[in-house]
């Protein structure tokens, strides 16, 4: 594959992955990271490169969400204070794992995410605040810490895990949870993860222009469609893709 064709493929993959991610509230890694692996990057390099590009998903989505969403400082603080240490821990752990086992873990996590999401078709259709006391906030924060560990290491669908957790535990509706995920996970979690991995690992800089452009455009368009049209059809399509990608990754690693 020549360099021009490579950049076109990377842009298309990034655009589709980030559009779906912005619609569903996470999951760009479900398509983008496996694509980087299939194109030949080692796992640690693919993960670091994907993390950098994912920051621009957050920027693209935020530029749309910021006009129609108001973030509560309490939940912003919980997501950042508990989540960021987990991201740093996970990013340091993943560099110690063998690529093959990391791919199997990624495949299993991706497959499980697709199945779980498929069993919850009406998740987050209405808001109902709950677990707003200190114990409830602490439990919610601790779970966000462990999701942060996954975000820093395996990265597959962890944004969607945050979205689902905000809905299930705190009672957010889908649109509000997506806004928090894309702004805070997309920019801050992924930014810290990218920095941690970049310092210790490698980044494929020549692939980033196409990935960043696709992330910006896909993030903005996905956020726009999630706000004005909803996401039932895309959510179902996304679940099918997660299952297929999970199976493919497990098969490739084995």
């Amino acid at each position: 594959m020549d360099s021009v064709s490579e950049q076109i493929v990377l842009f298309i993959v990034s655009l589709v992955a980030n559009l779906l991610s912005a619609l569903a509230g996470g999951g760009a890694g479900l398509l983008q990271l496996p694509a980087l692996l299939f194109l030949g990057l080692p796992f640690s390099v693919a993960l670091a490169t994907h993390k950098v590009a994912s920051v621009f998903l957050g920027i693209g989505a935020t530029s749309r969400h910021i006009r129609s969403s108001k973030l509560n400082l309490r939940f912003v603080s919980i997501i950042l204070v508990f989540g960021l240490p987990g991201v740093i821990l996970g990013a340091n752990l993943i560099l110690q794992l063998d690529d093959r086992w990391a791919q199997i873990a990624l495949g299993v996590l991706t497959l499980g995410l697709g199945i779980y999401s498929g069993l919850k078709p009406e998740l987050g259709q209405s808001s109902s605040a709950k677990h707003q006391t200190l114990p409830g906030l602490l439990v919610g924060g601790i779970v966000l810490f462990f999701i942060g560990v996954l975000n820093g290491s395996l990265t597959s669908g962890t944004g969607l895990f945050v979205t689902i957790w905000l809905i299930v535990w705190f009672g957010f509706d889908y649109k509000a949870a997506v806004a928090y995920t894309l702004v805070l996970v997309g920019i801050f979690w992924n930014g810290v993860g990218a920095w941690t991995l970049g310092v210790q690992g490698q980044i494929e800089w020549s692939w980033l222009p196409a990935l960043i452009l696709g992330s910006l455009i896909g993030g903005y368009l996905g956020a726009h469609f999630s706000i004005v049209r909803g996401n039932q059809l895309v959510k179902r399509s996304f679940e099918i893709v997660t299952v297929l990608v999970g199976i493919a990754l497990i098969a490739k690693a084995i």
Side-chain angles (χ1 to χ4, degrees):
M1 184 182 295
D2 60 50
S3 59
V4 175
S5 300
E6 186 177 76
Q7 292 293 317
I8 291 174
V9 170
L10 291 169
F11 170 75
I12 293 172
V13 168
S14 179
L15 178 66
V16 173
N18 288 287
L19 192 152
L20 288 174
S21 178
L23 271 168
L30 295 170
L31 293 177
Q32 187 165 278
L33 180 59
L36 298 182
L37 295 172
F38 293 147
L39 288 172
L41 288 186
F43 186 86
S44 59
V45 178
L47 181 59
T49 305
H50 161 69
K51 282 291 186 185
V52 174
S54 293
V55 175
F56 292 87
L57 159 64
I59 294 172
T62 298
S63 67
R64 179 63 181 87
H65 272 294
I66 205 69
R67 292 185 288 158
S68 59
S69 304
K70 294 182 179 180
L71 304 184
N72 183 292
L73 182 59
R74 171 193 289 179
F75 291 106
V76 169
S77 300
I78 290 172
I79 293 170
L80 295 182
V81 170
F82 284 91
L84 289 178
V87 172
I88 295 171
L89 176 61
N92 282 284
L93 288 175
I94 193 62
L95 296 176
Q96 313 304 319
L97 294 179
D98 179 80
D99 283 6
R100 177 171 171 267
W101 289 108
Q103 288 189 47
I104 292 175
L106 175 62
V108 170
L109 188 62
T110 302
L111 181 60
L113 178 65
I115 294 171
Y116 177 80
S117 183
L119 295 174
K120 302 287 184 180
E122 301 301 322
L123 195 65
Q125 298 305 299
S126 61
S127 61
S128 178
K130 53 187 178 181
H131 299 124
Q132 305 291 302
T133 61
L134 181 58
L137 294 173
L138 286 175
V139 171
I142 291 170
V143 172
L144 286 168
F145 169 80
F146 286 107
I147 297 175
V149 174
L150 293 177
N151 178 273
S153 54
L154 298 179
T155 197
S156 172
T158 51
L160 193 51
F161 286 155
V162 174
T163 299
I164 291 173
W165 182 241
L166 293 177
I167 293 168
V168 170
W169 187 252
F170 292 121
F172 283 36
D173 62 49
Y174 205 84
K175 187 182 294 186
V178 166
Y180 277 87
T181 298
L182 291 176
V183 175
L184 300 175
V185 175
I187 295 178
F188 295 97
W189 285 27
N190 288 340
V192 169
W195 179 82
T196 304
L197 288 165
V199 168
Q200 301 185 57
Q202 288 181 284
I203 295 172
E204 186 60 52
W205 295 103
S206 66
W207 288 19
L208 277 176
L211 293 174
I212 288 173
L213 183 61
S215 296
L216 284 170
I217 297 174
Y220 182 89
L221 291 177
H224 175 74
F225 290 136
S226 73
I227 290 169
V228 300
R229 296 188 181 182
N231 57 17
Q232 281 298 317
L233 177 60
V234 175
K235 182 176 183 294
R236 184 61 62 193
S237 301
F238 193 69
E239 290 158 0
I240 294 171
V241 171
T242 61
V243 171
L244 294 177
V245 169
I247 293 171
L249 272 174
I250 294 170
K252 182 176 183 291
I254 294 176

